[in-house]
Amino acid sequence: MGKATAPWWKDAIFYQIYPRSFADSNGDGVGDLGGVRDKLGYLELLGIDAIWLSPVMRSPMADHGYDVSDPRAIDPLFGDLDIMDALISEAHARDIKVTMDLVPNHTSDQHPWFVAALESAPGSPERARYIFRDGKGEDGSQPPNNWPSIFGGPAWTRVREADGSYGQWYLHIFTTEQPDLNWDNPEVFEDLARTLRFWLDRGVDGFRIDVAHGMAKPDELIDMNLDLNELMKNDDDDPRFNNDAVHDIHRQIRKVMDEFPDAVTVGEIWVQDNARFSEYIRHDELHLGFNFRLAEAAFDANEIRHAVSNSLDAVARVDGTPTWTLSNHDVVREVTRYGGGSRGHARARAMLLLELALPGAVFVYNGAELGLPNADLPDDALQDPVWERSGHTERGRDGCRVPLPWENSKPPFGFSSSPNTWLPMPVEWAPLTVEQQLEDVDSMLSLYRSAFELRALRPEFTGVGIDWYGSPPGCLAFRRSGGLICALNATDVPIPLPPGEVLMSSAPLVDGHLPPDTAAWLV
């Protein structure tokens, strides 16, 4: 299929917006949809193809929006349906698609369904929408199995029945406030289908599906190997995830999505085995699946090559489209992950060029284009539920969720009119503001803009496969079938470049050689 006729998402650049940290339009210190709408000009200037909005649906915010109490409403923290409609319309006018997070594995404990379940008797239709079980032991005081929550602590909470006595337990793979839905109950999919059509009818262009490898639970809720419990890095043998029945759920979702032929689904799939990963993106399931291998790889040529080869293999099995990301709201930012400081910055620049040179769709996390590092926050500022549920032993993900700096020389850097932003902004981010970087041709932001533009315009960025070049130890190079060559130097010394005209490099060449921690594009 030629590039001109391929679905828009096959080589799109998706820009993930964490709404509470992007831009604040009403001065409450929390980003909102009005702020996103105000910054559409910036996003057009950046050169992205689509927005992915992290959750903006109504939520008590126990897990920053991933605990949804009404999936067909906008939470007042972020705005309302009128603002969402305007955002969609104005983004489309700028040729930017809008996708949003969908959370089908669980609801909020304040969802009307769960409120009704707590008010109803064991065995009732209301409880059948969730996973309630009797406890173990003579008095039922032990959880039904040994499953832990991803966020720490047990995955089961015991409820008080109507008469005040302790009764059944309900399953929550994440926080206590996020009870898992029972996907064996047809009511659950019927409600999700209604949600899908509600947003698609409003012009939304697709969904990122949270915990897409979850939802289906084994009939026998067997105990698990407790060594497997690590946030978002569960083993493929973890019975809480990746059960075969999940594929029937995705086929049902795809049937609804096919009513809207240009819309896309992107699944969050923490599955290591390539064959099992590929099952999620068969032609009648998800359009795209997040592959996190690049985000997990160290800045090491062998690790990076292995991550790329594995990712391509996983999709090639089903003629699927690869996806690439270096960071998101759950992952340490790449500048920090690659060592921090000037070296982390240089390596993040190099990895951007490598990522954009690969075939498929790219996902960029807001702030990556500014070269933001993880912020070192004080303990009393932390809000991630991981911090509390781990007994203050795991700091959680707040460090990569700090609001974006837009302008001026001190916090809140134009993010808000309020100095009290929901997470504090480091004073040392003054050189990293959008305002500063737009004026600097050598900035990270300028690199992103130039790289995005070349990728969109140059014919060499075509073809579904890559061929690896021979390269010095500690380096790698590959060629796209369209003609683009990408070379990466992950060593401490300059290396000769492959033959060709240099189209772009992440740092200036030195006597025609590629410096350490640098990548280049050649044609």
Side-chain angles (χ1 to χ4, degrees):
M1 186 178 286
K3 189 171 182 177
T5 58
W8 66 268
W9 41 263
K10 274 192 171 285
D11 62 355
I13 294 173
F14 291 80
Y15 183 86
Q16 180 192 357
I17 291 177
Y18 197 69
R20 58 173 55 231
S21 295
F22 189 65
D24 171 22
S25 68
N26 64 3
D28 65 356
V30 181
D32 48 46
L33 291 176
V36 178
R37 186 182 175 192
D38 290 343
K39 301 297 185 184
L40 285 173
Y42 166 76
L43 296 174
E44 184 178 27
L45 184 71
L46 184 57
I48 63 161
D49 300 300
I51 296 165
W52 153 30
L53 287 170
S54 289
V56 292
M57 298 165 179
R58 189 179 292 273
S59 167
M61 301 292 164
D63 186 22
H64 294 156
Y66 285 96
D67 50 317
V68 177
S69 57
D70 185 347
R72 296 179 287 277
I74 297 294
D75 193 89
L77 184 70
F78 300 124
D80 55 30
L81 283 172
D82 288 342
I83 295 174
M84 183 68 176
D85 289 344
L87 169 59
I88 294 167
S89 175
E90 292 170 24
H92 287 171
R94 296 175 184 269
D95 201 25
I96 296 173
K97 307 283 189 183
V98 179
T99 64
M100 62 191 303
D101 245 301
L102 190 71
V103 188
N105 179 72
H106 47 262
T107 71
S108 164
D109 63 346
Q110 295 183 35
H111 189 290
W113 275 10
F114 195 72
V115 173
L118 293 183
E119 293 172 347
S120 302
S124 63
E126 290 80 7
R127 289 206 175 178
R129 295 166 176 155
Y130 295 91
I131 301 176
F132 279 85
R133 294 288 187 274
D134 294 331
K136 288 183 176 179
E138 288 185 14
D139 56 356
S141 62
Q142 299 300 312
N145 68 19
N146 73 343
W147 290 4
S149 159
I150 287 288
F151 289 154
W156 295 92
T157 292
R158 198 175 192 188
V159 304
R160 293 270 192 175
E161 302 296 355
D163 62 4
S165 64
Y166 281 108
Q168 289 190 304
W169 298 72
Y170 69 89
L171 179 69
H172 51 88
I173 298 298
F174 296 92
T175 69
T176 306
E177 297 90 349
Q178 292 168 292
D180 282 51
L181 287 161
N182 173 19
W183 275 88
D184 292 332
N185 186 330
E187 274 190 82
V188 172
F189 178 74
E190 290 165 9
D191 190 71
L192 180 72
R194 185 180 164 202
T195 296
L196 293 169
R197 294 188 179 101
F198 177 86
W199 294 111
L200 293 165
D201 283 338
R202 298 188 94 90
V204 166
D205 299 289
F207 304 95
R208 178 264 193 185
I209 299 181
D210 185 57
V211 199
H213 61 311
M215 299 180 281
K217 306 299 189 293
D219 291 335
E220 299 294 330
L221 296 175
I222 56 173
D223 284 352
M224 62 177 281
N225 177 354
L226 293 176
D227 292 337
L228 302 182
N229 195 51
E230 184 179 353
L231 181 60
M232 289 158 298
K233 292 187 179 179
N234 48 286
D235 187 277
D236 283 354
D237 294 326
D238 187 333
R240 299 171 300 178
F241 300 103
N242 198 31
N243 291 287
D244 285 344
V246 75
H247 298 291
D248 289 332
I249 298 169
H250 286 301
R251 291 187 189 97
Q252 293 180 76
I253 292 172
R254 183 59 176 264
K255 286 177 182 176
V256 176
M257 296 300 297
D258 284 346
E259 299 170 17
F260 302 83
D262 290 332
V264 65
T265 50
V266 187
E268 179 193 29
I269 309 168
W270 290 95
V271 173
Q272 299 299 317
D273 181 76
N274 284 351
R276 296 178 74 180
F277 180 94
S278 71
E279 293 172 352
Y280 287 85
I281 54 169
R282 290 177 285 203
H283 67 90
D284 59 347
E285 295 192 39
L286 293 160
H287 298 92
L288 296 170
F290 269 117
N291 190 308
F292 299 97
R293 290 186 185 273
L294 265 190
E296 294 175 312
F299 191 81
D300 171 88
N302 289 332
E303 279 200 39
I304 295 165
R305 178 168 176 164
H306 184 68
V308 170
S309 296
N310 264 281
S311 301
L312 293 172
D313 173 71
V315 298
R317 295 163 181 260
V318 289
D319 194 26
T321 299
T323 66
W324 311 100
T325 191
L326 298 175
S327 55
N328 63 32
H329 63 292
D330 289 328
V331 175
V332 173
R333 285 190 178 276
E334 50 265 54
V335 168
T336 298
R337 211 169 60 244
Y338 297 142
S342 59
R343 186 162 207 185
H345 193 83
R347 289 173 168 181
R349 290 172 66 96
M351 287 300 292
L352 172 71
L353 294 199
L354 179 133
E355 176 185 46
L356 293 177
L358 293 164
V362 172
F363 291 80
V364 173
Y365 179 46
N366 61 201
E369 79 277 16
L370 304 178
L372 298 184
N374 257 45
D376 186 12
L377 299 172
D379 289 358
D380 60 4
L382 299 179
Q383 298 191 30
D384 191 334
V386 172
W387 174 241
E388 290 299 330
R389 288 186 64 86
S390 67
H392 295 182
T393 60
E394 298 288 339
R395 294 185 64 78
R397 301 157 292 174
D398 290 322
C400 68
R401 298 176 175 185
V402 173
L404 268 60
W406 291 94
E407 59 193 18
N408 304 325
S409 59
K410 59 183 181 181
F413 297 117
F415 164 77
S416 174
S417 60
S418 169
N420 299 314
T421 54
W422 79 278
L423 287 173
M425 303 176 71
V427 294
E428 56 268 25
W429 281 8
L432 302 179
T433 65
V434 172
E435 180 182 55
Q436 287 281 334
Q437 297 200 41
L438 282 175
E439 297 173 357
D440 179 1
V441 295
D442 296 321
S443 69
M444 183 76 86
L445 179 55
S446 294
L447 178 78
Y448 268 73
R449 290 181 61 201
S450 299
F452 286 177
E453 183 176 31
L454 283 173
R455 184 179 184 269
L457 296 178
R458 297 287 300 215
E460 292 89 353
F461 288 83
T462 55
V464 296
I466 66 170
D467 293 316
W468 293 102
Y469 257 68
S471 56
C475 305
L476 62 82
F478 59 85
R479 183 182 186 276
R480 289 281 294 276
S481 53
L484 178 77
I485 297 168
C486 180
L488 173 75
N489 181 3
T491 74
D492 293 328
V493 296
I495 62 163
L497 280 166
E501 173 194 349
V502 176
L503 192 61
M504 187 176 193
S505 60
S506 62
L509 303 183
V510 177
D511 297 327
H513 282 57
L514 192 65
D517 300 327
T518 303
W521 290 343
L522 303 97
V523 293

